[in-house]
Amino acid sequence: MLFRSADIYQFSTVTTYWKYKGYSKAPNYIFGTDNLGHDLLTVALSSLKNSLLVAIIATAICLVIGLIWGSISGYFGGNVDIIMERITDILGGIPWIVMMTLVILLLGNNIVTFGIALVLTGWIGTASRTRTQFYRFKGREYILASRTLGASDARLIFRHILPNGLGTIVTGSVLMIPSCIFSEATISYLGLGLQGVDSFGVLLSSNQMYLSTRPLLVIIPSIIISLLMISFNLFGNGLRDALNPTLKGGEQ
């Protein structure tokens, strides 16, 4: 449209962005777009990839540390167990959100720092489950028979005791993955979310202000997290049944 005022010409234009990008028609998005116009499904899947990567790596490290710590504590018992348990009690007594906040404030706000914060106390649950399983099996007759025949401590731990308790240990450890994602989402609500990286915590934190006007921006990622939790729960139960068929259909 052309307007003339004095000798000044003013133009008013309307730009159709999808035509500018070369589309033949306006694209449709399954879950709509966020406040910046990005496809919500694409952003959610990108966040899922980054969150899962951090959670799986942190869980694997926690599993290794927890297995070693719990195996030594449960197998040897006595003063060794008492000392190791007091150490875990001290670490476990520190609220995880305080520990995570301090680490992020001291070392910076990035994926590596967040992973370190998860590992610092995340292995305690695995260590506790491993210790319980060792106390459950180390007094069995076949363990005593193997010790009588001269089996070493390492063989008793890794060949006779640990495989029998691995189902329960793995089941609990697999559930650490969605827990890590929940932890990252929680810390993001405190303003300490990961910087420069798409993640569920950052996504929920940035969209929470639109909860009353555009609830799908929060509901869709929340549904994905819920499905993720259910999936890993079923996956963990399947691993438990595969590693120890005697527990199939029973409680952990």
Side-chain angles (χ1 to χ4, degrees):
M1 299 177 63
L2 180 62
F3 302 95
R4 181 173 180 178
S5 177
D7 290 325
I8 299 176
Y9 296 90
Q10 297 179 348
F11 295 89
S12 176
T13 61
V14 177
T15 301
T16 305
Y17 197 68
W18 58 268
K19 289 184 178 180
Y20 172 77
K21 282 293 187 178
Y23 291 102
S24 59
K25 61 179 181 179
N28 296 319
Y29 301 104
I30 299 176
F31 298 128
T33 59
D34 59 12
N35 59 311
L36 297 177
H38 299 151
D39 181 13
L40 182 60
L41 179 60
T42 301
V43 175
L45 292 179
S46 176
S47 302
L48 175 63
K49 179 190 68 175
N50 294 328
S51 296
L52 275 178
L53 179 64
V54 176
I56 290 174
I57 293 176
T59 299
I61 297 174
C62 289
L63 179 61
V64 173
I65 297 175
L67 283 176
I68 296 174
W69 188 278
S71 298
I72 296 174
S73 176
Y75 180 78
F76 291 102
N79 292 329
V80 174
D81 183 33
I82 292 174
I83 294 173
M84 297 180 74
E85 278 299 292
R86 296 296 76 78
I87 295 175
T88 56
D89 287 342
I90 293 172
L91 291 176
I94 303 174
W96 69 268
I97 198 166
V98 174
M99 176 79 73
M100 189 173 298
T101 302
L102 289 176
V103 172
I104 290 176
L105 291 177
L106 290 175
L107 301 180
N109 199 350
N110 51 65
I111 290 182
V112 176
T113 302
F114 181 74
I116 294 174
L118 290 175
V119 171
L120 284 178
T121 57
W123 56 270
I124 294 178
T126 301
S128 177
R129 284 187 292 270
T130 304
R131 174 178 175 271
T132 301
Q133 295 303 310
F134 267 77
Y135 270 104
R136 176 184 177 186
F137 290 106
K138 73 176 184 179
R140 298 291 177 89
E141 290 78 4
Y142 65 91
I143 300 297
L144 299 177
S146 298
R147 183 180 289 111
T148 303
L149 293 174
S152 63
D153 291 336
R155 181 178 180 84
L156 291 175
I157 291 174
F158 295 107
R159 293 293 300 274
H160 297 291
I161 302 177
L162 188 58
N164 287 287
L166 199 59
T168 302
I169 297 170
V170 169
T171 302
S173 298
V174 166
L175 294 178
M176 289 177 57
I177 297 177
S179 297
C180 291
I181 298 176
F182 291 154
S183 299
E184 190 269 329
T186 302
I187 208 71
S188 294
Y189 273 97
L190 299 179
L192 298 173
L194 301 178
Q195 300 295 326
V197 178
D198 289 332
S199 67
F200 270 117
V202 175
L203 180 62
L204 291 173
S205 178
S206 60
N207 290 335
Q208 63 177 328
M209 65 182 68
Y210 305 105
L211 182 59
S212 59
T213 56
R214 301 184 61 192
L216 283 180
L217 294 180
V218 176
I219 292 176
I220 296 301
S222 300
I223 292 176
I224 294 177
I225 292 180
S226 300
L227 293 176
L228 190 67
M229 183 67 178
I230 296 172
S231 299
F232 275 103
N233 194 358
L234 295 176
F235 179 62
N237 290 335
L239 282 179
R240 180 199 62 188
D241 296 340
L243 293 173
N244 194 347
T246 60
L247 296 176
K248 188 172 183 179
E251 296 294 331
Q252 297 181 16

